[in-house]
């Protein structure tokens, strides 16, 4: 027999994880399905590889540029400002990991089952989850929320 939930959310980006948390807070037995290999895992592209890490890198670059261009005006005499890309990337990864850890904490706190794998609807109230390793699993849900986001696609002749 398949596991059964009140709500299954497919996708754990900004819309999906918030939806799962709210459903659980309302007392619904909730699961959230996300593929780690596709778009970065829980938190989605924005949190893992897009918006958040990019903004962290931009903040580091802006600080270095500000010191070079305006440091003396502000009473700071920069001797030699050097941008360390490796350290900036490490900082951006740290920020992302801290935020994804927050999602994991909220899932545990609200008793949401985080299911790693690629989810697809295979029938009314049925979601098939294919993990990277292991057996395919079918789960049942009274309600299914599709929160998989979007990916830009080019069409031939319309680049």
């Amino acid at each position: 027999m398949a596991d059964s939930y009140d709500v299954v959310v497919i996708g754990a980006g900004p819309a999906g994880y918030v939806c799962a948390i709210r459903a659980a807070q309302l007392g619904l037995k909730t699961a959230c399905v996300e593929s780690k290999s596709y778009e970065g895992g829980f938190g989605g592209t924005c949190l893992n590889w897009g918006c958040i890490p990019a903004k962290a890198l931009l903040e580091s670059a802006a600080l270095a540029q500000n010191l070079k261009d305006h440091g003396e005006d502000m009473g700071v005499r920069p001797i030699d400002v050097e941008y360390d890309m490796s350290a900036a990337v490490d900082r951006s990864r740290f920020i992302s990991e801290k935020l994804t850890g927050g999602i994991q904490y909220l899932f545990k706190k609200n008793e949401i089952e985080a299911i790693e794998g690629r989810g697809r609807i295979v029938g009314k109230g049925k979601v098939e989850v294919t993990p990277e390793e292991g057996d395919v699993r079918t789960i049942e849900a009274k309600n299914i929320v599709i929160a998989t986001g979007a990916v830009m696609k080019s069409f031939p002749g319309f680049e």
Side-chain angles (χ1 to χ4, degrees), residues 8-154:
V8 170
V9 180
I10 302 173
Y17 74 77
V18 171
C19 176
I21 291 166
R22 188 65 184 131
Q25 288 172 339
L26 292 171
L28 301 171
K29 184 178 178 188
T30 305
C32 189
V33 179
E34 177 65 65
S35 175
K36 210 175 208 180
S37 64
Y38 185 75
E39 301 303 331
F42 288 86
T45 300
C46 179
L47 186 55
N48 287 286
W49 303 107
C51 314
I52 302 300
K55 286 180 181 178
L57 290 172
L58 287 170
E59 185 179 7
S60 295
L63 176 61
Q65 194 64 48
N66 228 0
L67 278 171
K68 283 183 177 181
D69 292 348
H70 306 291
E72 287 195 31
D73 297 341
M74 299 171 77
V76 177
R77 290 186 190 86
I79 308 264
D80 187 24
V81 176
E82 192 175 291
Y83 192 76
D84 183 346
M85 184 65 166
S86 179
V89 168
D90 288 348
R91 178 179 171 270
S92 77
R93 297 304 321 138
F94 173 78
I95 291 168
S96 289
E97 288 166 9
K98 190 170 184 167
L99 293 173
T100 57
I103 294 169
Q104 292 169 1
Y105 167 78
L106 289 170
F107 273 30
K108 284 180 186 174
K109 177 183 174 192
N110 290 288
E111 299 178 2
I112 299 164
E113 184 175 355
I115 303 172
E116 287 188 17
R118 183 132 183 157
R120 71 182 189 106
I121 299 171
V122 292
K124 184 174 181 176
K126 294 189 185 307
V127 176
E128 182 182 270
V129 181
T130 305
E132 285 186 40
E133 296 178 12
D135 297 329
V136 173
R137 173 180 173 189
T138 300
I139 55 178
E140 295 180 357
K142 294 177 188 170
N143 302 282
I144 300 170
V145 177
I146 301 170
T148 55
V151 176
M152 185 178 75
K153 184 166 178 99
S154 296

